[in-house]
Amino acid sequence: MQFNYSNPTQIYFGQQQIAAIAKAIPPHSNVLLVYGGGSIKNNGIYDQVAQALSDHQWQEFSGVESNPTVETLDKAVEIVKKDHITYLLAVGGGSVIDGSKYIAAASCYAGDGWDILTGKHKVKKAVPLGAVLTLPATGSESNKAAVVTKKATKDKLSFLSAHVQPQFAVLDPDAMKTLPERQLINGLVDAWVHVCEQYITKPAQGMVQDGFAEALLKNLKQLGDNFSNHDDDAWRANLMWSANQALNGLIGTGVPQDWATHMIGHELTALYGVDHARSLTIIQPSLLRNQIEFKRAKLEQMGINVFGLQPTTDLAERTIAEIEGFYLSLGVATRFTEHGGDKTQVIADILAQLESHGMLVLGENQSITLQEMQLILESAIG
Ligand code: NZQ
Ligand code: ZN
């Protein structure tokens, strides 16, 4: 174990915390409020934000879509440059926050912002940003990552930079009250897979990381099993905090990480519009079965410590069945059946995209080659 760790995002957690942005954003800032398709206009969040910004100079940019596109975000970049915006406030889910991270970085770069996603430009500077979270799922509100899509070419790529990590994040569980059930389930499942990507790898004797990951998995399982309580304040607060902790960097520090499910899943979203979380549940069970010999020890540990299974020789196999059963209990598919098109063509198209994005070997062991990805996809695509 050897690492540098810091999570500098100030978290304002709890009901009525949106008011805190009045003080969290420096007083003389010129603020751009960034949001999505308008859900914040229907649930009072926009009004609370406007109230909190009443002593600030501000304007707004709306229309950031789910799986935000560079085509839309570049319009905001123009505004930031033209109007000398000095602070970005992202109000929404992962898409709005990720989109704002891109805007923050691309606004400080003279070239084509897409260079940040391809790695041609390394971010050295960004407009400071804060976030008001309305959908717990991605952890984007207090991490360095952003995922952006280029609509024209169906490329969905990510970048990481400490410069775009939000300076503060407001997590008010009341903001979740208007979330459709589909999005709530997506959030729960995405957070669950984030923990898995940092935990179902190989044993590394990270007692803190493993113990914390197991606590998060048990929480998320319990919240999923009690989904009918999702209108309860404690249910909402616990999902919001669990999803944040799942991907704020802590549990993955100093231990191996996988992320292959995410990399393959991103292609499913980019090509076929599958919701991010649902792309993961389609890929992950097949990927775990494909990689079972590498992951057996951690799957067995998860079976005992998270699912309470008895040790047997097929414990790892039963743990995967429990994971799959959890998704199915939430009504989330574990095979890509909605497409209905030519399966061979779908697999070929996904593999071609993975190859063009340089995803030639994935996983904590670099054992998921394109051949293995093909086998995983053959099993995942119904
Ligand atoms: O557009 P609005 O009006 O905001 O509506 C959204 C959107 O339609 C709606 N919504 C959000 N909060 C709501 C609400 N509706 C009613 N009431 C509320 N309180 O929900 C829909 C989905 O929102 P979106 O932001 O797209 O979802 P999510 O938070 O799941 O974000 C997904 C994006 O994050 C990326 C994904 O790839 C995807 O692009 N990820 C980002 C990560 C990161 N930065 O670390 C890691 C993740 O693994 C993930 O890849
Ligand atoms: Zn995710």
Side-chain angles (χ1 to χ4, degrees), residues 11-25 33 40 43-54 56 89-92 131-134 168-176 240:
I11 304 277
Y12 297 96
F13 194 99
Q15 287 153 330
Q16 311 298 327
Q17 288 278 26
I18 290 175
I21 64 183
K23 293 207 169 62
I25 301 179
L33 161 62
I40 65 162
N43 60 9
I45 304 290
Y46 179 91
D47 294 336
Q48 288 181 57
V49 170
Q51 175 65 34
L53 288 176
S54 53
H56 283 86
L89 179 62
V91 184
V132 176
L133 183 68
T134 64
F168 70 87
V170 177
L171 279 67
D172 177 349
D174 277 358
M176 298 163 62
M240 201 166 224

Side-chain angles (χ1 to χ4, degrees), residues 56 95 225 283 342:
H56 283 86
S95 294
D225 290 345
I283 299 298
D342 175 0

Side-chain angles (χ1 to χ4, degrees), residues 184-304:
L184 263 185
I185 290 172
N186 283 354
L188 197 158
V189 163
D190 190 23
W192 169 274
V193 180
H194 293 158
V195 182
C196 293
E197 297 271 31
Q198 301 163 89
Y199 171 82
I200 312 177
T201 55
K202 53 189 170 190
Q205 300 186 55
M207 291 172 73
V208 171
Q209 296 89 328
D210 281 4
F212 198 3
E214 286 163 7
L216 293 171
L217 290 169
K218 283 192 278 190
N219 288 352
L220 293 164
K221 175 77 170 61
Q222 197 178 327
L223 294 168
D225 290 345
N226 293 326
F227 189 75
S228 57
N229 285 349
H230 68 259
D231 278 333
D232 180 62
D233 281 345
W235 192 99
R236 281 195 287 260
N238 280 307
L239 177 59
M240 201 166 224
W241 191 226
S242 297
N244 174 273
Q245 296 292 298
L247 197 48
N248 75 345
L250 182 58
I251 62 167
T253 298
V255 293
Q257 302 190 20
D258 182 345
W259 298 106
T261 295
H262 269 73
M263 293 307 114
I264 304 172
H266 283 172
E267 305 298 356
L268 270 176
T269 301
L271 288 173
Y272 307 106
V274 180
D275 290 1
H276 170 64
R278 287 161 203 259
S279 76
L280 307 176
T281 61
I282 288 169
I283 299 298
Q284 193 207 31
S286 296
L287 185 143
L288 292 177
R289 289 193 175 102
N290 176 276
Q291 293 290 302
I292 195 162
E293 293 317 327
F294 295 103
K295 294 177 180 289
R296 186 170 289 280
K298 290 305 284 286
L299 282 164
E300 290 178 348
Q301 185 179 333
M302 181 176 180
I304 294 168

Side-chain angles (χ1 to χ4, degrees), residues 28-270:
H28 301 295
S29 306
N30 184 10
V31 182
L32 183 66
L33 161 62
V34 181
Y35 61 98
S39 62
I40 65 162
K41 286 254 168 118
N42 302 325
N43 60 9
I45 304 290
Y46 179 91
D47 294 336
Q48 288 181 57
V49 170
Q51 175 65 34
L53 288 176
S54 53
D55 289 334
H56 283 86
Q57 183 186 339
W58 65 281
Q59 59 179 299
E60 64 188 55
F61 179 83
S62 65
V64 176
E65 56 280 81
S66 266
N67 308 306
T69 67
V70 71
E71 285 88 346
T72 298
L73 300 171
D74 278 338
K75 295 179 190 152
V77 171
E78 269 178 43
I79 296 172
V80 172
K81 288 182 174 172
K82 178 171 67 68
D83 293 348
H84 307 291
I85 295 293
T86 61
Y87 210 97
L88 294 171
L89 179 62
V91 184
S95 294
V96 168
I97 302 173
D98 284 6
S100 300
K101 290 176 176 178
Y102 169 86
I103 298 167
S107 300
C108 296
Y109 173 54
D112 178 2
W114 188 248
D115 292 346
I116 297 167
L117 279 302
T118 60
K120 191 177 157 199
H121 173 67
K122 191 166 164 30
V123 178
K124 292 177 200 77
K125 200 177 159 220
V127 178
L129 75 153
V132 176
L133 183 68
T134 64
L135 195 180
T138 62
S140 184
E141 68 277 9
S142 66
N143 71 31
K144 302 176 177 64
V147 190
V148 179
T149 298
K150 187 177 242 186
K151 200 162 136 190
T153 50
K154 298 193 172 172
D155 291 317
K156 181 168 169 129
L157 299 177
S158 58
F159 74 99
L160 289 170
S161 168
H163 296 289
V164 300
Q165 173 146 354
Q167 293 186 334
F168 70 87
V170 177
L171 279 67
D172 177 349
D174 277 358
M176 298 163 62
K177 284 184 176 171
T178 50
L179 275 170
E181 284 193 9
R182 181 183 182 91
Q183 295 301 342
L184 263 185
I185 290 172
N186 283 354
L188 197 158
V189 163
D190 190 23
W192 169 274
V193 180
H194 293 158
V195 182
C196 293
E197 297 271 31
Q198 301 163 89
Y199 171 82
I200 312 177
T201 55
K202 53 189 170 190
Q205 300 186 55
M207 291 172 73
V208 171
Q209 296 89 328
D210 281 4
F212 198 3
E214 286 163 7
L216 293 171
L217 290 169
K218 283 192 278 190
N219 288 352
L220 293 164
K221 175 77 170 61
Q222 197 178 327
L223 294 168
D225 290 345
N226 293 326
F227 189 75
S228 57
N229 285 349
H230 68 259
D231 278 333
D232 180 62
D233 281 345
W235 192 99
R236 281 195 287 260
N238 280 307
L239 177 59
M240 201 166 224
W241 191 226
S242 297
N244 174 273
Q245 296 292 298
L247 197 48
N248 75 345
L250 182 58
I251 62 167
T253 298
V255 293
Q257 302 190 20
D258 182 345
W259 298 106
T261 295
H262 269 73
M263 293 307 114
I264 304 172
H266 283 172
E267 305 298 356
L268 270 176
T269 301

